[in-house]
Amino acid sequence: MFDEMIMIHALLIKVFLAVLAAGIAVPYLFGKEGSAFKKAAFIYTLVFQAIATMVAFSGLVAMISVKIPMNIGIWIMTVSWVMLMFVEIKKYKLIKNADLSKEGHLKLVKSAFVKVSVVEIVLVALVVFLKVMEAKGAVSLS
């Protein structure tokens, strides 16, 4: 049963990485007009938060059902999840409150969107890499 839960958690992380990668295209596909970009960013943020919550919930269920103690690896995953949510909310608030009718503001916000998305991908990839190395025995996080 634990193996299935971890498999689902890993699958959700892969879906999450795919959504993050696809999110980089949002400013390029919908960035010509400020209002369309705001709507697309809102929808992207909703999808982001939904999948991030699914990842966290599946990990929590696996941890509780098998009674895994809180170790450094779990703390790293928890802190990275909180950081991802915080940064994503700040990114959306920036877009929501920006005056995108001005061309310079739109370019600046689109650039920030892409940069933050890349940072989010790197953060998730680093946590995945760390957990893979832990599973292979190369790193001890207990």
Side-chain angles (χ1 to χ4, degrees):
M1 176 140 157
F2 178 70
D3 292 336
E4 289 93 7
M5 286 188 271
I6 294 300
M7 182 183 68
I8 290 170
H9 186 67
L11 178 65
L12 285 170
I13 291 170
K14 290 173 187 167
V15 169
F16 186 51
L17 279 169
V19 167
L20 287 172
I24 292 176
V26 168
Y28 300 109
L29 296 175
F30 302 101
K32 299 197 185 342
E33 192 177 307
S35 62
F37 178 61
K38 277 187 180 184
K39 289 176 188 174
F42 177 67
I43 292 169
Y44 171 77
T45 300
L46 291 177
V47 171
F48 175 97
Q49 291 177 344
I51 295 176
T53 303
M54 285 187 246
V55 168
F57 185 73
S58 67
L60 183 65
V61 168
M63 185 184 89
I64 290 173
S65 66
V66 182
K67 297 180 180 154
I68 298 173
M70 288 293 286
N71 62 17
I72 295 172
I74 293 174
W75 280 110
I76 289 171
M77 288 187 289
T78 304
V79 169
S80 66
W81 182 84
V82 169
M83 287 173 37
L84 285 168
M85 292 300 257
F86 177 78
V87 168
E88 186 63 28
I89 290 168
K90 286 292 191 183
K91 178 173 78 172
Y92 177 69
K93 281 187 175 183
L94 171 77
I95 294 167
K96 180 181 174 187
N97 297 329
D99 181 15
L100 299 181
S101 61
K102 297 178 182 175
E103 183 62 32
H105 290 186
L106 182 59
K107 281 185 179 181
L108 181 67
V109 170
K110 285 170 45 177
S111 172
F113 188 97
V114 171
K115 289 174 186 172
V116 169
S117 294
V118 169
V119 169
E120 290 170 342
I121 291 170
V122 168
L123 180 62
V124 173
L126 284 174
V127 172
V128 168
F129 177 74
L130 184 66
K131 293 304 286 182
V132 167
M133 295 306 288
E134 180 186 24
K136 289 186 176 186
V139 176
S140 176
L141 297 176
S142 340

